[in-house]
Amino acid sequence: MDTVPTVPVLLALLTFPLINFKSPPFFTKFNILDTVFVMYLLFFTFSKALECDFNVDIWNEASPNFAALYNLKFPALTGTLALSYFIHNAVLTVLRNQKNPENNARDLSIGYALSAICYIFTGFTFYSDFPTFRSCIAVNFLNNFGSGDVLSAAAQVFLLFQMITVPPLLIYLIRAQLSYLATGDVYPGLSYVCLLNLGIISIAVLFAIFYPYVSSILRYVGSLSLRSHLHLHPAMHKLFFD
C-alpha cells in the first residue's frame, strides 16, 4: 500500500470527529498535549547537539560545514514572517474565550516568548551542529536521521500525536472566523459546521497528497494573507463601515 496518499486521509478520518466540537476550551485544552511533544523535541535537539558538537565554518566555502552569513534567497523567508504576523488574528479568537481577559496581555507575552525560545533554540542548535552540507537538511529535520535512531523514531511518534492535537485547534480558528463572517455566529449548527470542516480538511488533505511542500505553502499562504491585511481589509472596511 502506498502510504504517501493514505496517511493524510487516515489522519483526516481520525481528527474529523474532534474538529466538530462546539466548546472552544476543548480545543485549547486538547492542544496542551502538544506541549509534551515540544518538550521532547527540545530534549532531542539538545542530545543531538551534544553528539555532533559545533560544526560551523563561515570562512571556507569549500568546507562541508560552511554556513553563509548572507544569501540572496532570503526574501523567500518574508512569506513565512508574513504568516506569523497574520496568525495574530487567530490568537484573538482564542483569547476571546479567556476566563480572565485582564490577563490576556501577560499570557500572550509569555506565549510568544516561549515560542520564540523554542524556535530559536531548535533552529540555531540543529543548523549549527549539522555535520555536513547545509543543503542536505530536509524540510522535516527528523528525516535527517536514520530509521534505526531510537530518539528520532520516538520523535516521529510524538509528531504523529502533534498532527492529531494541532489541526483541531487550527481548524476551529478558521471555522470560527468564517462562520462569524458568513452568519454572525461562530457555531451556526452541527450540519453547517460539519460541512464547513469537511471542505477545510479536504483542502488540507489534497495539499498533503499532491503538494506536500510545507515551506512553500507557508510562504505562499503567508504572502497572500498579509496582502489581504494590507490591501483588501482596509478597502472593505472603508466600503462597508464608513
Side-chain angles (χ1 to χ4, degrees), residues 187-201:
Y187 196 89
L190 181 60
S191 58
Y192 173 90
V193 168
C194 288
L195 184 62
L196 179 60
N197 286 340
L198 181 62
I200 295 173
I201 204 168

Side-chain angles (χ1 to χ4, degrees), residues 10-22 26-27 168 175 190 194 197 201:
L10 292 176
L11 281 175
L13 294 175
L14 185 62
T15 58
F16 187 77
L18 301 175
I19 64 179
N20 296 308
F21 280 87
K22 179 180 180 180
F26 166 80
F27 297 99
R175 183 193 81 198
L190 181 60
C194 288
N197 286 340
I201 204 168

Side-chain angles (χ1 to χ4, degrees), residues 57-68 70 133:
D57 186 348
I58 61 175
W59 306 109
N60 183 11
E61 295 186 9
S63 171
N65 296 324
F66 176 72
Y70 175 79
F133 296 99

Side-chain angles (χ1 to χ4, degrees), residues 1-39:
M1 181 177 63
D2 186 4
T3 58
V4 174
T6 56
V7 169
V9 175
L10 292 176
L11 281 175
L13 294 175
L14 185 62
T15 58
F16 187 77
L18 301 175
I19 64 179
N20 296 308
F21 280 87
K22 179 180 180 180
S23 174
F26 166 80
F27 297 99
T28 53
K29 292 179 180 179
F30 186 60
N31 194 246
I32 293 175
L33 297 174
D34 184 48
T35 307
V36 179
F37 168 76
V38 174
M39 294 177 63

Side-chain angles (χ1 to χ4, degrees), residues 83-129:
L83 184 63
S84 300
Y85 172 77
F86 178 77
I87 205 68
H88 281 65
N89 78 88
V91 174
L92 295 177
T93 304
V94 176
L95 295 179
R96 188 182 298 125
N97 300 285
Q98 282 278 68
K99 183 178 180 180
N100 300 307
E102 65 275 8
N103 297 328
N104 282 352
R106 180 203 65 188
D107 296 342
L108 192 60
S109 300
I110 295 174
Y112 274 116
L114 292 176
S115 298
I117 292 172
C118 292
Y119 278 114
I120 293 173
F121 175 80
T122 304
F124 176 79
T125 303
F126 183 80
Y127 187 84
S128 60
D129 295 334

